[in-house]
Amino acid sequence: MIVVGMFAYVLMQFAIGAWVSRRMASEADYILAGRSLGPVLVAFSVFATWFGAEAIVATSGEVYEKGLAGAAVDPFAYAAALIFSGLVVAGALWRRGLTTFADFFRERFSRHVEVLVVLILLPGSLFWAAAQIRAFGTVLAVGSGQSLTTMILLAAVLVAAYSAVGGLLADAVTDLVQGMVVIIGLIVLAVALAGMSGGVGAVLEANGPERLSMWGGLEESSLQRVEQIVVAIAGSVVAVELISRYLGARSAEVARLGTVSGGLMYLAMGFIPIFLGLAAAQLARSNPALKAQLASPELVVPALAQLALPAWGYVLFSGALVSAILSTVHAALHAPAAQVSHNIIARLRPEMTPAERLRSVRLTVLVLSGVALVLALTSERMKDLVEIASAFGSAGVFVAAAFGLFSSFGGARSAMAAIVTGGVVWALGRFALDWTAPYMTALVASTLAYGVVAQAEQRAGEGAASEEKKA
């Protein structure tokens, strides 16, 4: 019954997306929804896109293991990133009339920088999509009793089909439905667990002061925790999944208001996964069977739902988890596919018709879905995928975007230097040298690279101008 209910829910969302997309005839319709989104759709799309499996499943697991310190990054750092993006970045980017984020780098710097940005941000999106596919597979496996590998394969097929059919407008409409389902599902589970645990006060008291400290009980150092927060904020600000949401708004003000509202919704709802993790720690002390189920932190939420809810309630909550996953995975596949197709394939084949461009985006979605499936099958934890997704290649892009958007300092070479330096320094520090703060080091190195090369560009320009005057 549970699996049938989840499949029925997925098919309903698929049908909504297909119906909304029935008049879609061009690449622009698919990518931007005709820049027609109002503040409510933008807010729910931002919220639903970011409030994915890691915000519910991974955060609850982290809080179960580490206490409140496990929530410093999600929801607090991610919510801060969304609010900052709305206040500072969303309106400025929207007013440029962009189709994709990479368009900005072509207009401000050069065609080569545009392509580099597409390629360097692509792996991060794929890691994020893989995290959602793995989470979807976990929900299906817990509900059906089938193997995790089998359910991950099934989840990949479902999300690939769902993502290929609907464009941004379909995604925004289904995000509205899915966001409401997520909110209702989380509230239902939280109320049920509060009843079992003796109330919120009892849960807090049972966890004790150390587990309720944001910085207490951590294995990692304070510098490592700051590194994680910086990754979440800087990586989110330049995430194509977020930017694609507000580029489809009908005005700069709607882009700003919708993104800020989505961030505030994220923060408010983020307290529920925190409560779930704390409640799990309390209940596991007196319930050996539950404690045995929680051997993996990723199983905290599904196990709690099975424990606290009747069959119909579990189906409802599973629908909430699937809602969060579908919204996030659609963005994680739709946005990078749009950039690959619009900024690379269409540039190489300018003779393509509007119908061919639309077909190109959808085929790219399917190809990226296959890559994300491989990553989901070969990883061990969703949290690891999410951490890599936020950090991969984004340090240099963040620096180049900040200089390019808010100053006239620097040109194509300085942007290339920042992006390449950031990617290389982070990769070496993260995978080869085991630095404590590779991302923050990459940000500093990228800023220095941009500044040094920009100064050289400026001097070269002044020298050329001087030679022209002499001539």
Side-chain angles (χ1 to χ4, degrees), residues 96 104-105 108-109 395-411 414-415 418 443-444 446-452 454:
R96 289 177 172 265
F104 164 74
F105 292 90
R108 174 61 176 82
F109 297 111
V397 175
F398 179 86
V399 170
F403 276 109
L405 192 57
F406 300 110
S407 79
S408 58
F409 181 61
S414 50
L443 283 174
V444 173
S446 297
T447 303
L448 291 174
Y450 189 101
V452 169

Side-chain angles (χ1 to χ4, degrees), residues 69 72 214-215 218 220-229:
M214 188 70 74
W215 294 89
L218 291 174
E220 63 260 31
S221 66
S222 296
L223 181 60
Q224 287 174 306
R225 178 46 54 100
V226 172
E227 164 86 351
Q228 293 169 354
I229 292 171

Side-chain angles (χ1 to χ4, degrees), residues 98-118:
L98 308 172
T99 299
T100 68
F101 184 41
D103 285 348
F104 164 74
F105 292 90
R106 183 185 68 254
E107 294 179 2
R108 174 61 176 82
F109 297 111
S110 73
R111 163 72 176 146
H112 296 298
V113 178
E114 170 194 24
V115 173
L116 179 61
V117 166
V118 173

Side-chain angles (χ1 to χ4, degrees), residues 215-409:
W215 294 89
L218 291 174
E219 296 179 1
E220 63 260 31
S221 66
S222 296
L223 181 60
Q224 287 174 306
R225 178 46 54 100
V226 172
E227 164 86 351
Q228 293 169 354
I229 292 171
V230 172
V231 167
I233 294 175
S236 296
V237 169
V238 296
V240 294
E241 297 82 5
L242 171 61
I243 294 169
S244 67
R245 305 298 95 178
Y246 58 69
L247 287 183
R250 63 177 179 230
S251 70
E253 180 61 22
V254 168
R256 184 191 67 81
L257 177 61
T259 306
V260 171
S261 300
L264 292 173
M265 290 170 62
Y266 188 101
L267 179 61
M269 292 307 301
F271 283 99
I272 295 183
I274 293 174
F275 173 72
L276 299 183
L278 295 174
Q282 180 205 23
L283 293 170
R285 295 193 187 102
S286 58
N287 190 330
L290 175 63
K291 187 172 184 178
Q293 283 184 279
L294 303 183
S296 169
E298 293 185 3
L299 297 177
V300 168
V301 171
L304 289 177
Q306 282 190 323
L307 175 69
L309 299 175
W312 66 266
Y314 184 76
V315 171
L316 174 64
F317 186 74
S318 297
L321 278 181
V322 170
S323 288
I325 292 165
L326 287 178
S327 294
T328 303
V329 77
H330 184 283
L333 294 171
H334 168 274
Q339 290 206 144
V340 170
S341 181
H342 174 77
N343 296 100
I344 295 181
I345 297 174
R347 305 289 182 201
L348 294 174
R349 296 189 57 204
E351 74 281 0
M352 284 197 299
T353 66
E356 288 173 335
R357 286 172 178 257
L358 176 58
R359 194 178 306 120
S360 171
V361 182
R362 284 175 160 161
L363 288 174
T364 306
V365 167
L366 295 177
V367 172
L368 297 187
S369 299
V371 178
L373 168 61
V374 174
L375 292 173
L377 288 172
T378 54
S379 64
E380 293 184 0
R381 290 186 63 175
M382 186 194 323
K383 180 176 177 291
D384 299 331
L385 289 168
V386 173
E387 287 179 354
I388 293 175
S390 295
F392 199 105
S394 65
V397 175
F398 179 86
V399 170
F403 276 109
L405 192 57
F406 300 110
S407 79
S408 58
F409 181 61

